[in-house]
Amino acid sequence: MKKIPLAEGVKLKSILTKKIHELISEIHIVSHAVVEKGEKPNPSGRPLVEVETELAQVRKDSRTLDKLIYRANIDNTISFKGEELPIVEAIELASQLRAEASLYKELGKEEKERLYSTSDNIIFYHVAMYDPAEYRNRANELEKEAHRLSNLINAKNYQVEIEFDDSNYI
């Protein structure tokens, strides 16, 4: 069987998902015809059974590809910060690092102290219980870590191969 890089498999999954949507749309088109009473409908496109058969095959290929991608993402690891992580865990960690960086960026945008409101001659201040500059720096470092990890994931996705014949789609 033909082997393709895991990265190509991930892209192919997107292609198959799009193809499934296109075939479903085609089924809606070829499954009905508008005719005048007493007239025989003319087929518009391929026979319905042909489209259904193709859809079943693309769906099967999509499931197979999913299984191969999931297995590769579990069986293959990435070294990051002295730790071996399965690709799937590394992907999740990269997402978490980006989310944490986003939170810290928001905290870093705040002022240490700002006027909140005045009422009955009393002035209230909104005071940060942390150092915003420190959180800006932490956000930058977390973003860098996420980028480094993503680069490692991408590189690994081109090293790992899965057995899948993509010739029907690419």
Side-chain angles (χ1 to χ4, degrees), residues 33-60:
V34 176
V35 295
E36 197 174 318
K37 186 174 182 167
E39 294 295 317
K40 185 174 176 145
N42 291 327
S44 60
R46 302 190 287 166
L48 178 58
V49 69
E50 185 180 321
V51 182
E52 289 175 317
T53 302
E54 184 179 349
L55 177 59
Q57 183 59 52
V58 175
R59 282 181 166 159
K60 182 177 187 299

Side-chain angles (χ1 to χ4, degrees), residues 7 28 34-35 44 49 62 75 114 117 134 148 150 161:
H28 287 293
V34 176
V35 295
S44 60
V49 69
S62 180
D75 291 346
R114 64 180 159 88
S117 70
E134 180 184 325
R148 281 192 293 273
S150 291
E161 291 188 326

Side-chain angles (χ1 to χ4, degrees), residues 80-113:
F80 183 68
K81 296 176 83 173
E83 192 176 351
E84 287 294 316
L85 302 172
I87 295 172
V88 67
E89 186 178 352
I91 291 168
E92 179 60 26
L93 177 56
S95 294
Q96 290 175 359
L97 289 170
R98 283 190 194 90
E100 192 173 0
S102 178
L103 172 63
Y104 288 178
K105 274 184 173 182
E106 289 177 32
L107 292 172
K109 289 178 184 176
E110 293 289 329
E111 297 175 34
K112 182 67 177 161
E113 182 178 286

Side-chain angles (χ1 to χ4, degrees), residues 55-151:
L55 177 59
Q57 183 59 52
V58 175
R59 282 181 166 159
K60 182 177 187 299
D61 287 346
S62 180
R63 290 190 312 273
T64 300
L65 189 57
D66 269 347
K67 178 179 66 175
L68 295 170
I69 290 170
Y70 294 156
R71 176 60 43 211
N73 282 339
I74 291 169
D75 291 346
N76 293 279
T77 61
I78 291 172
S79 293
F80 183 68
K81 296 176 83 173
E83 192 176 351
E84 287 294 316
L85 302 172
I87 295 172
V88 67
E89 186 178 352
I91 291 168
E92 179 60 26
L93 177 56
S95 294
Q96 290 175 359
L97 289 170
R98 283 190 194 90
E100 192 173 0
S102 178
L103 172 63
Y104 288 178
K105 274 184 173 182
E106 289 177 32
L107 292 172
K109 289 178 184 176
E110 293 289 329
E111 297 175 34
K112 182 67 177 161
E113 182 178 286
R114 64 180 159 88
L115 181 64
Y116 186 65
S117 70
T118 59
S119 169
D120 296 328
N121 296 326
I122 300 173
I123 300 173
F124 293 97
Y125 287 92
H126 188 260
V127 180
M129 305 299 287
Y130 61 92
D131 179 7
E134 180 184 325
Y135 277 80
R136 279 192 298 277
N137 292 337
R138 288 170 69 181
N140 289 334
E141 288 306 311
L142 286 169
E143 271 189 336
K144 288 178 189 176
E145 277 188 37
H147 292 316
R148 281 192 293 273
L149 183 53
S150 291
N151 287 340

